Amino acid sequence: MNPVNPSRRRVLQLMGLAGFGALAGRTAWLQVVEGADLATKAKDERTVAWTNRAPRGDILGRDGTVLASSAVSYDIGVNQVKVAQYERSEERTDPATGEVRSVVVGHGAAAAAEQMAEILGVDAQELGAKMVGESTYVVVAEAVAPDTWRRVNALAIPGVEPDQRTRRTYPAGSVAGNVLGYTYEGTGRTLIGSAGLELTQNDVLTGVDGQGRVEVGKSGAIIPTGEQKEVPAVAGDSVRMTINPDLQAVAQEAIDEVVDAQGADWGCVVVMEPATGKLLVLADSDAVNPAKPSETPESSRNARSVQAIFEPGSVGKVITFAAALEEGTMTPEDTWTVPYNWTAANGQSFHDSHYHETQTLTSAGVLAESSNVGTVQIGEQLDDAVRHDYLKRFGFGALTGIEMPAESAGMVAAAADWDDRTRYTTMFGQGIAGTALQAAQVLATVANKGMRVPPRVVDAWIDADGNETPQEIPAGERVISEATAEALTEMLIGVTQDGGTAEAASIDGYLVAGKTGTTEILTEDGTVASFVGFTPARDPAIAVAVIVYRPRDTYGGTVSAPVFRKVALAAMHSLGIAPDPSVIAAQAAAETDAAVEAAQSESADEEG
């Protein structure tokens, strides 16, 4: 054997040293320079991360009834490619040897579906059909409860993946649907308010999502010594409304019935506490079911009670009479000569809704009979600027500040812009426009002894820990004096008594003060029929506005007043306000007198 040449040996040694040096250098480079990045990359590859969805805050009725809530659920998706490779194994004992072995008992989508179907409560063959294909993700089950998903997940079927979602539920269906609004799913699976309180209170209701991270091995098992981090979600605050759910349901049923019976376009009911501004009812006909908004026409998904404007008609007379009383240009006992037709000094002519011979009426009688001719004679005693100021004081032409989207301020032109006719029509509620909410506010102001308190539909906010922040009641604004409000109340009581235009609004055992309204719609055929009032008249608990748009019948006294009576009586029962014995006695005496008068009239006819 020839000895190795020393020079060759030297070269081999140098080459070995160079290779070792390069390897050592590469190792050092990997450890020192790239080590942190590689370790991070490896950790990321074996780390599973997820989002803990924050529940959206609840919306509650004033009694705590949950009207909108959120629940976390899962959509189960499948990677069809991975599922096709699934092998279901079971431990079997060899009877000959006693050896326990793992035996494959099923393959692919069929085996996976067989196991999952029992947990999900679905047909295995139908489920299996959804799991066959080449898609990397297809949803096979929606809105699965967390407990159900955990049972599916425990099967450890490769390619079966969860999609955690927060879904909004509305347990009472369409009750207060137009107040609640509804949501849609935005980016990142976050629910976003799209109408009603869901929209205006969106920032309050929206919670803060949490996150989770855990390291897993190749088998999918959690590495005990690996990173495990969990940041819990923080639920959004809840909103408690002033709305009474039971009374809201009564009002929705009542307004739906009259709209259907009258073939009207729409209707709404507002019930308000005069002293606090809190709304017990904000009801619209054909109320949207927030869980299925697409099933309701788009025009009916919002709250017309705060958005739709119309000429208030005879509700405007209340403002004219209030101004005249407050300014001292008229008293309830003053008398007026009221013909059927009347022509003003500027040549504008007006007439009453029904033909009658020339009458002598007191101011109270003019209001009770809703005489346009008498009203313009009374209103003519006031300067236009003064009347315009009272229209604004009572809230027309300004937003109320209600916590609802797209509220309308209505329309009240400057007095200087009124033409020769408009200066008179504004006296009886034409030539101006407002909402049902504003109409209710007018009568609520009278009921509250002349103080206007802005309406509110949010009672309190409640955080995730149960801490409550109540809504502050505004101080209110003085519109008319207590004396004027009391005098006007007595006049409005006459409207609902025998001979008034709103006898149908009277309630056994309770005094009602109110005003009917019938207004022609200028932009289309038809009328708006309304009744706005409060009860018990001398100690008011509620003010109510009932609006019916384009009914077949014309008059508020026959269309809207019966709805008022039904809703107001339900409110009295709900609030625990018992009938007044003195009112019952007076109503019984009036009925007796009416019966005696009718009998005497019938006897006289027979003798004649």
Side-chain angles (χ1 to χ4, degrees), residues 247-264:
L247 193 56
Q248 177 83 16
V250 170
Q252 286 184 203
E253 180 182 14
I255 197 65
D256 279 340
E257 285 179 354
V258 73
V259 166
D260 289 345
Q262 288 288 330

Side-chain angles (χ1 to χ4, degrees), residues 84-267:
Q85 302 169 10
Y86 172 57
E87 291 185 345
R88 179 184 177 188
S89 301
E90 291 183 358
E91 300 294 325
R92 299 280 179 88
T93 302
D94 189 322
T97 64
E99 182 182 356
V100 177
R101 294 184 301 168
S102 180
V103 179
V104 175
V105 296
H107 298 269
E114 184 179 357
Q115 290 178 280
M116 293 171 57
E118 184 176 352
I119 298 172
L120 296 174
V122 298
D123 182 78
Q125 290 185 346
E126 291 182 5
L127 179 61
K130 295 179 181 179
M131 299 170 73
V132 174
E134 298 180 356
S135 173
T136 56
Y137 187 80
V138 59
V139 176
V140 297
E142 294 182 335
V144 174
D147 286 345
T148 303
W149 161 245
R150 280 191 283 271
R151 292 172 61 196
V152 171
N153 191 39
L155 298 174
I157 300 172
V160 176
E161 304 165 359
D163 181 10
Q164 188 185 53
R165 300 176 65 180
T166 302
R167 286 181 166 86
R168 201 65 164 158
T169 59
Y170 299 90
S174 64
V175 174
N178 297 64
V179 183
L180 296 170
Y182 41 90
T183 62
Y184 67 93
E185 195 172 70
T187 57
R189 298 296 196 193
T190 300
L191 294 178
I192 300 174
S194 185
L197 292 180
E198 294 278 27
L199 174 57
T200 64
Q201 304 297 301
N202 187 66
D203 290 345
V204 174
L205 293 165
T206 301
V208 179
D209 288 344
Q211 293 182 335
R213 291 171 60 90
V214 64
E215 289 184 62
V216 298
K218 290 184 178 181
S219 65
I222 296 175
I223 300 174
T225 57
E227 179 189 11
Q228 297 185 40
K229 184 179 181 180
E230 182 83 14
V231 178
V234 179
D237 291 356
S238 292
V239 175
R240 187 174 69 234
M241 300 189 297
T242 61
I243 298 295
N244 180 321
D246 291 339
L247 193 56
Q248 177 83 16
V250 170
Q252 286 184 203
E253 180 182 14
I255 197 65
D256 279 340
E257 285 179 354
V258 73
V259 166
D260 289 345
Q262 288 288 330
D265 287 2
W266 55 268

Side-chain angles (χ1 to χ4, degrees), residues 314-603:
S314 292
V315 173
K317 292 177 182 175
V318 176
I319 300 176
T320 298
F321 278 72
L325 286 168
E326 186 75 5
E327 296 297 317
T329 61
M330 176 269 285
T331 70
E333 297 79 21
D334 287 344
T335 57
W336 307 85
T337 300
V338 183
Y340 170 66
N341 281 300
W342 180 82
T343 301
N346 66 3
Q348 296 294 321
S349 294
F350 302 92
H351 61 81
D352 284 336
S353 59
H354 296 86
Y355 176 79
H356 59 79
E357 298 294 336
T358 298
Q359 300 172 301
T360 300
L361 297 175
T362 63
S363 301
V366 169
L367 186 61
E369 295 193 13
S370 199
S371 168
N372 290 339
V373 169
T375 299
V376 294
Q377 291 182 59
I378 291 170
E380 194 179 36
Q381 311 303 310
L382 294 163
D383 184 77
D384 288 348
V386 171
R387 287 195 303 103
H388 182 274
D389 180 54
Y390 276 93
L391 287 168
K392 300 291 284 186
R393 284 198 215 177
F394 272 96
F396 280 101
L399 299 175
T400 68
I402 184 108
E403 308 92 334
M404 292 287 290
E407 182 192 6
S408 174
M411 295 185 297
V412 179
D417 295 332
W418 291 348
D419 59 26
D420 286 348
R421 188 162 189 81
T422 303
R423 73 172 300 262
Y424 284 100
T425 61
T426 52
M427 298 175 189
F428 49 83
Q430 295 181 16
I432 62 174
T435 65
L437 183 62
Q438 289 173 327
Q441 188 175 235
V442 171
L443 271 292
T445 298
V446 178
N448 195 36
K449 303 185 186 308
M451 290 290 291
R452 177 168 63 83
V453 179
R456 290 290 178 266
V457 75
V458 171
D459 191 41
W461 297 271
I462 307 167
D463 68 21
D465 295 324
N467 300 310
E468 186 173 311
T469 303
Q471 169 92 285
E472 292 185 8
I473 299 174
E477 177 183 343
R478 171 67 60 187
V479 177
I480 53 177
S481 67
E482 287 191 32
T484 294
E486 289 176 4
L488 188 53
T489 294
E490 295 304 316
M491 296 172 72
L492 290 169
I493 290 172
V495 175
T496 66
Q497 302 298 300
D498 187 27
T501 59
E503 292 181 53
S506 63
I507 306 173
D508 290 346
Y510 302 91
L511 270 183
V512 174
K515 188 72 192 76
T516 56
T518 302
T519 311
E520 292 184 2
I521 304 171
L522 297 180
T523 57
E524 54 188 320
D525 292 336
T527 61
V528 178
S530 63
F531 180 84
V532 187
F534 54 89
T535 194
R538 297 192 178 110
D539 187 18
I542 58 169
V544 182
V546 179
I547 310 298
V548 181
Y549 195 84
R550 293 185 68 198
R552 273 193 291 266
D553 292 342
T554 302
Y555 299 108
T558 56
V559 175
S560 299
V563 178
F564 167 89
R565 178 168 56 191
K566 183 175 182 178
V567 174
L569 183 58
M572 293 298 95
H573 293 164
S574 177
L575 297 172
I577 300 174
D580 186 335
S582 64
V583 174
I584 295 174
Q587 289 174 336
E591 289 177 3
T592 300
D593 291 344
V596 170
E597 183 178 342
Q600 290 174 343
S601 176
E602 183 178 351
S603 177

